[in-house]
Amino acid sequence: MKIIIKYGIENIDWVALCEIFRLAPLGTREPNKLKEAAKNSHTVCSAYLDHAIIGFGRAISDSQYQSAIYDVVVLPEFQNQGVGKSIMEALLSKLPKGGPVLIYVAPGKQDFYRKFGFGNLKTGMGLFPNPVMSRENGYLE
């Protein structure tokens, strides 16, 4: 299996990518909104197998102090095969060194990110537009 990692947003099939989010399952995304979020991101990378998108991730950064990784997703049949690891390594390699990198983690996926040195925050908080749903999904205490 030859996975190719590409940077940037050129030639991404946004509808297919949104389907990966649904199948993962990481909720739903709207293609136009996801494309706009990616356009406004510091780093975007996608994983491909035979020209079909199978994974994605993006990061934002102020290029000085802080960075954050969002939307790391892999098509379920390719999870646990190194695709997510390749995406994370690609994102981290492009982010500024020396400042913290934050990440939202789907409940139950913390161990994957610990392999990259991420740890649980003691002081992290979030303001969510739908806190009831965020609590139900395990993102808020």
Side-chain angles (χ1 to χ4, degrees), residues 85-112:
K85 178 182 179 188
S86 295
I87 291 168
M88 284 297 296
E89 288 172 345
L91 291 170
L92 290 168
S93 75
K94 298 293 184 183
L95 292 174
K97 307 297 182 244
V101 178
L102 305 176
I103 189 167
Y104 278 108
V105 178
K109 299 294 185 181
Q110 292 89 338
D111 287 343
F112 172 75

Side-chain angles (χ1 to χ4, degrees), residues 14-69:
W14 298 101
V15 173
L17 178 55
C18 288
E19 181 65 3
I20 294 172
F21 276 93
R22 187 186 71 75
L23 294 170
L26 290 178
T28 59
R29 302 290 192 280
E30 296 177 27
N32 290 336
K33 283 187 172 185
L34 186 56
K35 181 178 181 180
E36 189 65 23
K39 277 176 40 179
N40 291 312
S41 295
H42 179 279
T43 304
V44 175
C45 67
S46 304
Y48 292 86
L49 178 64
D50 298 328
H51 306 289
I53 192 165
I54 62 167
F56 176 85
R58 66 184 185 90
I60 61 173
S61 178
D62 61 18
S63 296
Q64 300 299 315
Y65 298 107
Q66 304 265 339
S67 300
I69 294 176

